[in-house]
Amino acid sequence: MFSELVIPNRTIMTPGPVEANPIALKAMSSRVLGQFDPAFLTIMDNVKEMIKLPFGTKNKHAFAVDGTSRSGLEAALIALIEPGDKVLIPAFGRFAYLLGEICERAKAEIMYLEKDWTSTFDQQEVIEAIKEFQPKIVAMIHGETANGQMQQLDEIGPFCRANDIFFVVDMVATYGGVPIAVDDWCVDIAIAGTQKCISVPSGLSLITYNDRVEAVLDSRYQKELGLSKDDRNENHISSNYLDLSQLQRYWSEERINHHTEATTMIYGVHEGLRSIINEGLEKVYARHQQNDQAIVAGIKAMGLGFYGDLSTKMPTVTPVLIPEGIDGEAVRELLLDQFGVEIASSFGDLKGKVWRIGNMGYSSRHENVLHVLAALEGALSFYGADINHGQAIKAALAVYQAK
């Protein structure tokens, strides 16, 4: 016999997943509709329009790809890449290398523009690399969760557009938490996810692209054999499941039968997006900004340091240096077991050196910020860290009282 499922209560302050919005969870427990039920198609159409708003776009196409955030990244890149195509990937953190991994498997010729992870690129440095390498595609991360850094894009994108280069941007960690301007930044394909700032369980990737990309998709479209033996294309996209040319038609008036939609996930995305849109996106961004200021003030007051350049830190992730002589994993374990608080470690060379405190979506609330700061101070005190006791909460409250 198996025991009944018991889920412990947690305050999740990681860079994802975050605490799910109860409104989304309630919607996801609703009855399942057929994927071509007119009522469900209306829900899909509403989701398409809502996806566009946090992206800051008027693109015709915006929809969900079944799978975690990297399903959207892979779908976007393999839609554009043909073997031998040149792709420039500016890397200032871990997830640029995921883009490279996807491009490598698509048989692209990859050039990395690499720097240390302490800050983002000067945009002119990226533009000079584009001039030198002459790529078909530039693929970048907007917000890098490994180090909490956020890249400016407002010069790189227009340069790519002026030179007929595709600009693909991972906006997974920033979508719904900071202002994004896909159209103004000339981003051709932007990708996000559900498990971060829109506070829906992981399971869908959100994507939008413009007419330039649609033209490529139309040129590579192939309807699968079970639906037609006539629509063959020697230059078809390599994946069936992640074929944007088919997914585009599944989400449009044509409604081709591509896959069985994850209906309850679509319910959740509908409500997660509706929640932040009704709150007001500017208010949502201000909430994230204020809670970020409170976290930073509390960490500073505790006497802890930060990894990287604070001037380019994104509001949704704070990288905290683990004090000398402190076992970072022991602290995280104590936080989870005794306080019910989860924060994250980091990757690669930063593993064991940096904690990452998330500030995303439904987790971005005053009570969560105060809880994580108090718990972290308590855990560090238990392990004998040399910190300023009793100052973190005062500093955070000062931020909240100043509004």
Side-chain angles (χ1 to χ4, degrees):
M1 296 291 290
F2 293 97
S3 301
E4 181 182 353
L5 188 66
V6 177
I7 309 298
N9 188 36
R10 303 292 195 216
T11 298
I12 304 179
M13 296 296 282
T14 72
V18 305
E19 296 176 18
N21 189 327
I23 294 173
L25 291 178
K26 180 181 178 182
M28 292 176 70
S29 68
S30 301
R31 63 179 60 88
V32 173
L33 291 172
Q35 63 176 348
F36 295 113
D37 185 312
F40 183 66
L41 297 180
T42 297
I43 294 170
M44 289 177 69
D45 288 342
N46 288 338
V47 166
K48 285 174 61 175
E49 294 307 310
M50 287 192 286
I51 286 172
K52 298 175 187 180
L53 297 179
F55 272 132
T57 186
K58 295 182 179 178
N59 284 340
K60 174 183 175 183
H61 293 293
F63 52 82
V65 179
D66 285 31
T68 60
S69 299
R70 69 176 61 195
S71 70
L73 297 173
E74 186 157 341
L77 290 166
I78 65 174
L80 295 178
I81 294 172
E82 298 175 47
D85 281 345
K86 297 168 72 173
V87 182
L88 175 67
I89 302 177
F92 60 96
R94 176 216 166 161
F95 285 100
Y97 297 99
L98 170 60
L99 302 182
E101 173 86 9
I102 294 168
C103 294
E104 179 183 304
R105 290 168 184 258
K107 309 300 183 185
E109 179 186 344
I110 302 163
M111 174 185 172
Y112 289 105
L113 177 64
E114 297 177 290
K115 68 179 304 298
D116 64 66
W117 290 12
T118 57
S119 62
T120 58
F121 285 95
D122 180 279
Q123 293 190 78
Q124 285 303 312
E125 185 180 356
V126 176
I127 289 170
E128 290 304 314
I130 295 170
K131 291 177 182 177
E132 179 182 348
F133 189 55
Q134 293 292 304
K136 175 182 176 180
I137 300 162
V138 174
M140 290 196 75
I141 307 295
H142 182 218
E144 171 56 69
T145 57
N147 53 9
Q149 294 290 305
M150 186 166 69
Q151 175 68 52
Q152 288 187 313
L153 304 171
D154 60 318
E155 296 174 17
I156 299 168
F159 182 84
C160 288
R161 181 67 52 82
N163 290 275
D164 200 26
I165 296 164
F166 288 104
F167 192 34
V168 180
V169 182
D170 172 338
M171 295 178 165
V172 173
T174 51
Y175 179 85
V178 304
I180 288 171
V182 161
D183 292 352
D184 291 347
W185 299 342
C186 298
V187 176
D188 293 297
I189 308 185
I191 305 97
T194 55
Q195 77 280 15
K196 296 185 187 285
C197 294
I198 64 167
S199 305
V200 176
S202 178
L204 293 176
S205 183
L206 310 180
I207 193 165
T208 187
Y209 52 83
N210 58 22
D211 293 345
R212 300 177 74 224
V213 174
E214 183 181 6
V216 174
L217 297 182
D218 288 344
S219 74
R220 304 188 72 184
Y221 174 59
Q222 175 174 292
K223 188 180 289 187
E224 63 184 74
L225 281 171
L227 301 177
S228 171
K229 294 183 179 180
D230 299 324
D231 296 317
R232 302 285 87 195
N233 190 332
E234 292 184 357
N235 194 33
H236 62 262
I237 293 168
S238 60
S239 172
N240 175 289
Y241 187 70
L242 298 177
D243 182 346
L244 285 184
S245 73
Q246 292 190 63
L247 289 169
Q248 171 182 297
R249 287 161 173 80
Y250 176 80
W251 278 82
S252 65
E253 294 79 8
E254 192 174 337
R255 305 290 186 190
I256 68 166
N257 192 340
H258 178 263
H259 65 283
T260 303
E261 188 52 85
T263 53
T264 56
M265 279 298 303
I266 297 297
Y267 300 164
V269 169
H270 185 285
E271 291 302 273
L273 287 168
R274 187 179 67 85
S275 181
I276 63 171
I277 290 166
N278 286 354
E279 180 181 347
L281 290 178
E282 293 305 319
K283 290 182 179 179
V284 170
Y285 303 147
R287 168 165 57 83
H288 282 82
Q289 189 70 44
Q290 184 187 50
N291 288 331
D292 175 63
Q293 291 171 359
I295 291 169
V296 170
I299 294 298
K300 282 182 178 178
M302 211 182 300
L304 301 178
F306 301 90
Y307 179 83
D309 187 344
L310 285 181
S311 70
T312 50
K313 190 187 86 65
M314 58 180 171
T316 52
V317 182
T318 299
V320 181
L321 291 170
I322 298 172
E324 192 75 27
I326 295 297
D327 183 338
E329 289 306 295
V331 169
R332 288 207 316 124
E333 184 177 339
L334 189 68
L335 286 173
L336 193 64
D337 291 346
Q338 299 299 324
F339 294 91
V341 172
E342 183 180 6
I343 63 173
S345 56
S346 195
F347 310 103
D349 292 342
L350 299 187
K351 188 171 179 61
K353 300 177 182 177
V354 170
W355 293 308
R356 295 175 302 143
I357 299 175
N359 172 46
M360 294 179 169
Y362 191 72
S363 288
S364 181
R365 307 195 308 276
H366 287 194
E367 60 268 32
N368 280 13
V369 171
L370 298 175
H371 190 188
V372 73
L373 289 173
L376 183 57
E377 181 179 317
L380 287 171
S381 295
F382 180 80
Y383 283 113
D386 182 15
I387 61 171
N388 302 321
H389 298 278
Q391 299 304 307
I393 296 298
K394 287 182 182 179
L397 287 172
V399 170
Y400 293 134
Q401 293 297 318
K403 69 176 183 178

